[in-house]
Amino acid sequence: MQKYKVWKETFFLSLAGVFTGIMIGEIGLRVAKIEGVQKMPDYVDSAPTDFHTADPDFGWWHKPGASGWWTQEGKAFIQMNSAGLRDREHSKEKPKDTFRIAVLGDSFTEAMQVPVEKTFWAEIEPKLAQCKALQGKKVEAINFGVHGYGTAQELIVLQKKVWDYSPDLVLLGFFNGNDIINNSPKLEYDPYRPFFVYKDGALVGDMSFRQLSPVERNQYAVSWVDRLPGWLVNHSRILQLLKKIDLNMKKEKLSQDFTRLSVLNFKEPTDKNWQEAWQVTEGLLELMNQEVKQKKVPFFVFTIGDAMSVLPDPKTRQNFTQTNKIQDLFYPDKRVKSVGDRAGFPVLNLSQTFQQYAEQKKVCLHGFDNAILCQGHWNIEGHRLAGEIISQNLCQFLSNTSVSPQSTPEKQNKNKK
């Protein structure tokens, strides 16, 4: 009985000590004005930036009319048009004597880092208008690029949005750095997006992301604290601080995991998940080509090299390849081109030309002063060079191809009548 009494007193004293410690900690954090992160709400708008919003077809899309400054990497004023495109306004009915290009891609195409007039697709318009094959037509490029998209999302954008604008050519920017990863539910860290999987030999869409709860959408953006009751987390500075620490650790782990994965983009896949990711990616490119062919317009793909493959310093590139046992920095470029050769659509590899230019001119084509130099997205010079190379190759392609402007949906309906 005496032992029980001692144990009981010890227990309650310990409990009182813990409670007192927690209260002192809570008061101390408030006095010091140290804040953490509150519990994730039951509804979360799954969007990578404030310019985006959740979408049941794509995972996320731009907020129509959203505007503001982008300063995370580079600097530009962003204005989404009424259709949710990072572009000026475009009428769905194509203007007379206009050659219209629909540009698909991810954040390299979206190009938040540079002013809209300095993007590669803006650079294409005046340059390609000089091509004799277009006979003086005005060139209009419409930007359908969205941050973080993989080929699966780009295919759905093609099906659901692009054809309303009656393009004469579909131009796809394929980023070697993560497009293969984006297309795999086993490799992609953010599953709140549509995927395609092979079933009975055919690619079929998997839209199960629509059923994911907020805590299931991104393992790197959710803390164990988010699984505790909301009333407890939102009234406890200690738990909020623990959540902040946990998320910072996960952010660091995400960076490490992505670095590890991105190296594998340069290698012939031996892992089953990577083999499946490449198989799906190639199948998606072929599906896009079939979709475009059905509309009787050309499909043109250009590959965007990872920043490491186009560094201006050859010694740094060599050290990178040796350290990571990479045989060929242009492996993904060549593999995508082989898909085009097999399926019958042109693929322009930018990496080789970018590398030569960067080395000769001793300039970085990726990176910004307010981020990491020579890393990340194209800077203004990168976009300028891309616009120049793409325009030259498109002109040559169009000169060798019989291309007639596509009629608008209204005209097509009249012809049916």
Side-chain angles (χ1 to χ4, degrees):
M1 190 68 181
Q2 184 66 28
K3 287 183 179 181
Y4 174 74
K5 185 178 180 181
V6 172
W7 178 89
K8 187 177 178 181
E9 289 176 352
T10 303
F11 173 77
F12 281 108
L13 283 172
S14 300
L15 193 63
V18 170
F19 180 76
T20 302
I22 291 174
M23 292 304 297
I24 292 172
E26 291 287 344
I27 294 170
L29 289 173
R30 283 169 168 77
V31 170
K33 296 182 179 180
I34 297 174
E35 297 183 356
V37 183
Q38 291 197 337
K39 176 182 166 64
M40 178 180 289
D42 293 334
Y43 172 78
V44 175
D45 187 5
S46 291
T49 78
D50 291 338
F51 296 99
H52 302 81
T53 186
D55 185 278
D57 292 319
F58 314 119
W60 60 92
W61 182 252
H62 295 130
K63 294 177 184 176
S67 65
W69 283 97
W70 177 268
T71 57
Q72 295 179 23
E73 181 189 12
K75 184 178 180 180
F77 185 78
I78 307 301
Q79 177 66 64
M80 303 302 172
N81 71 15
S82 59
L85 304 178
R86 200 257 155 146
D87 204 343
R88 64 183 188 272
E89 292 292 336
H90 294 276
S91 64
K92 288 191 175 180
E93 183 174 358
K94 186 171 56 181
K96 186 180 179 181
D97 296 326
T98 296
F99 186 84
R100 182 173 268 183
I101 302 173
V103 189
L104 290 162
D106 61 4
S107 53
F108 275 84
T109 301
E110 182 189 60
M112 300 271 243
Q113 301 76 25
V114 299
V116 68
E117 67 274 10
K118 298 295 185 181
T119 60
F120 76 86
W121 35 271
E123 296 273 357
I124 286 174
E125 293 182 331
K127 289 181 170 65
L128 195 58
Q130 300 173 21
C131 182
K132 291 182 179 179
L134 296 180
Q135 300 177 341
K137 291 184 176 68
K138 179 183 177 181
V139 175
E140 183 184 31
I142 304 179
N143 176 31
F144 291 90
V146 181
H147 178 103
Y149 272 19
T151 321
Q153 289 155 299
E154 290 153 3
L155 171 61
I156 300 173
V157 171
L158 176 67
Q159 295 169 334
K160 291 187 173 291
K161 290 189 178 290
V162 167
W163 300 124
D164 290 343
Y165 292 84
S166 304
D168 300 297
L169 182 141
V170 173
L171 180 65
L172 172 68
F174 184 93
F175 178 44
N176 299 335
N178 60 22
D179 275 9
I180 303 99
I181 295 170
N182 293 154
N183 296 327
S184 168
K186 296 176 182 176
L187 299 176
E188 172 56 50
Y189 70 89
D190 181 3
Y192 194 76
R193 64 175 71 225
F195 291 101
F196 278 74
V197 294
Y198 273 101
K199 287 186 179 180
D200 300 324
L203 274 178
V204 295
D206 176 5
M207 308 299 282
S208 59
F209 76 93
R210 295 169 176 167
Q211 281 75 54
L212 293 177
S213 66
V215 296
E216 295 172 322
R217 293 176 188 175
N218 187 338
Q219 60 175 316
Y220 294 98
V222 177
S223 167
W224 59 269
V225 178
D226 289 305
R227 302 182 185 277
L228 298 175
W231 61 267
L232 178 61
V233 177
N234 293 336
H235 289 86
S236 170
R237 287 289 177 90
I238 291 177
L239 287 177
Q240 292 170 24
L241 183 60
L242 287 174
K243 177 179 176 178
K244 185 176 182 179
I245 294 170
D246 187 32
L247 290 181
N248 286 338
M249 291 173 64
K250 288 194 171 188
K251 185 178 180 180
E252 180 63 28
K253 187 175 187 304
L254 170 61
S255 177
Q256 294 172 356
D257 289 348
F258 184 76
T259 299
R260 175 181 55 81
L261 277 178
S262 63
V263 168
L264 298 177
N265 284 303
F266 298 106
K267 299 181 180 182
E268 179 78 32
T270 56
D271 175 81
K272 183 180 178 182
N273 292 338
W274 272 92
Q275 290 171 346
E276 290 177 353
W278 266 109
Q279 184 184 18
V280 168
T281 298
E282 293 171 341
L284 287 168
L285 289 170
E286 291 174 359
L287 277 181
M288 291 185 79
N289 182 48
Q290 293 170 16
E291 173 86 15
V292 175
K293 272 187 175 180
Q294 289 176 0
K295 300 292 184 178
K296 298 182 179 179
V297 300
F299 181 49
F300 193 100
V301 176
F302 65 94
T303 59
I304 302 166
D306 185 279
M308 292 301 299
S309 67
V310 298
L311 289 175
D313 181 17
K315 290 184 180 179
T316 305
R317 296 197 308 265
Q318 185 178 12
N319 289 337
F320 175 73
T321 56
Q322 290 177 346
T323 301
N324 294 286
K325 299 179 181 179
I326 296 170
Q327 300 297 319
D328 187 359
L329 283 172
F330 302 135
Y331 170 77
D333 299 273
K334 294 173 181 177
R335 182 151 181 174
V336 173
K337 190 173 189 313
S338 69
V339 179
D341 293 342
R342 193 167 61 240
F345 60 87
V347 175
L348 168 64
N349 295 146
L350 293 179
S351 300
Q352 294 94 327
T353 307
F354 264 51
Q355 185 189 95
Q356 292 169 4
Y357 182 91
E359 188 172 334
Q360 290 172 1
K361 302 291 185 179
K362 296 185 180 355
V363 296
C364 292
L365 300 171
H366 295 242
F368 299 84
D369 292 338
N370 63 346
I372 304 176
L373 197 61
C374 289
Q375 296 295 324
H377 293 85
W378 284 339
N379 51 36
I380 288 177
E381 181 65 4
H383 276 275
R384 185 204 63 76
L385 182 62
E388 182 178 302
I389 299 170
I390 294 169
S391 298
Q392 292 173 353
N393 282 267
L394 277 178
C395 182
Q396 184 178 356
F397 169 69
L398 294 172
S399 299
N400 297 327
T401 307
S402 177
V403 179
S404 59
Q406 299 298 299
S407 58
T408 63
E410 291 81 1
K411 289 181 179 179
Q412 291 172 0
N413 291 334
K414 288 180 181 178
N415 291 336
K416 289 179 182 179
K417 293 178 181 178

